[in-house]
């Protein structure tokens, strides 16, 4: 017998996530919070927490989850060049969670949201670089998994 469970987190997910987005926006230049090894650890856990929150809200009906996914993708992308493998892994986890929830059109036009240049090819290059040459084995594995997911999604879209 199947049991239906109501997603009680969905209705409050946006409020919780955007309060955390506001926190990082307000404090991003504060070295005491984000600097050094403890700051790297905090940032990686912060991004992972947002990824978990997004994942937990995925079954709630409506468009808010897609918007939150786009915002998380953009936030994570802003840290893609981190020296810390722990932060890079959290960036990849956030990107992977987001990619599974954003419309394909967002991924194709993501450069218009993030800034100058062709970001869509830049983030694909980032994934390939991580997947094949990141010094951290976990980052390599996660990047390759994301690449595989994107390739599968693209293949399914072409097959339709």
């Amino acid at each position: 017998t199947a049991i239906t469970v109501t997603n009680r987190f969905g209705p409050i997910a946006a409020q919780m996530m955007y309060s955390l987005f506001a926190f990082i926006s307000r404090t991003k230049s504060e070295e005491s919070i984000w600097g050094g090894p403890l700051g790297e650890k905090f940032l990686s856990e912060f991004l992972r927490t947002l990824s978990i929150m997004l994942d937990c809200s995925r079954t709630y009906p409506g468009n808010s989850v897609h918007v939150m996914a786009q915002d998380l993708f953009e936030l994570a992308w802003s840290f893609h060049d981190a020296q810390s493998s722990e932060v890079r892994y959290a960036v990849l986890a956030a990107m992977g969670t987001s990619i599974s929830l954003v419309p394909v059109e967002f991924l194709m036009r993501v450069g218009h949201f993030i800034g100058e240049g062709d970001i869509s090819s830049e983030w694909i290059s980032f994934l390939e670089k991580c997947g094949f040459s990141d010094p951290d084995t976990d980052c390599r594995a996660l990047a390759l998994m994301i690449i595989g997911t994107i390739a599968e999604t693209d293949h399914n879209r072409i097959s339709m």
Side-chain angles (χ1 to χ4, degrees):
T1 306
I3 298 173
T4 302
V5 178
T6 302
N7 183 342
R8 294 185 304 190
F9 179 67
I12 61 168
Q15 181 180 3
M16 290 183 71
M17 287 186 70
Y18 284 109
S19 66
L20 293 175
F21 285 143
F23 171 76
I24 199 168
S25 178
R26 265 192 336 268
T27 63
K28 64 183 171 187
S29 62
E30 292 187 30
E31 185 70 21
S32 62
I33 296 175
W34 306 106
L38 287 178
E40 290 173 350
K41 176 71 172 168
F42 183 55
L43 178 58
S44 67
E45 293 301 327
F46 192 89
L47 290 172
R48 286 181 187 170
T49 299
L50 287 169
S51 298
I52 291 167
M53 292 171 79
L54 180 62
D55 189 57
C56 289
S57 66
R58 76 183 317 133
T59 60
Y60 190 71
N63 290 330
S64 64
V65 72
H66 303 298
V67 175
M68 291 185 298
Q70 292 173 27
D71 291 340
L72 179 57
F73 183 96
E74 292 173 13
L75 175 65
W77 175 255
S78 70
F79 297 104
H80 78 280
D81 56 357
Q83 295 298 312
S84 164
S85 61
E86 192 170 16
V87 172
R88 279 193 319 278
Y89 187 85
V91 165
L92 288 164
M95 288 176 70
T97 303
S98 298
I99 286 170
S100 70
L101 295 170
V102 297
V104 174
E105 297 77 23
F106 170 80
L107 298 176
M108 299 176 104
R109 69 177 194 270
V110 73
H112 298 294
F113 290 96
I114 298 176
E116 297 177 16
D118 185 1
I119 299 296
S120 58
S121 64
E122 192 175 339
W123 66 263
I124 294 292
S125 296
F126 164 72
L127 288 174
E128 289 172 342
K129 180 181 172 193
C130 282
F132 297 108
S133 61
D134 196 284
D136 185 78
T137 56
D138 291 334
C139 287
R140 285 196 308 268
L142 184 53
L144 290 173
M145 185 180 76
I146 294 168
I147 290 169
T149 300
I150 293 168
E152 184 178 319
T153 301
D154 199 34
H155 174 74
N156 289 341
R157 199 182 85 217
I158 292 169
S159 299
M160 292 180 164

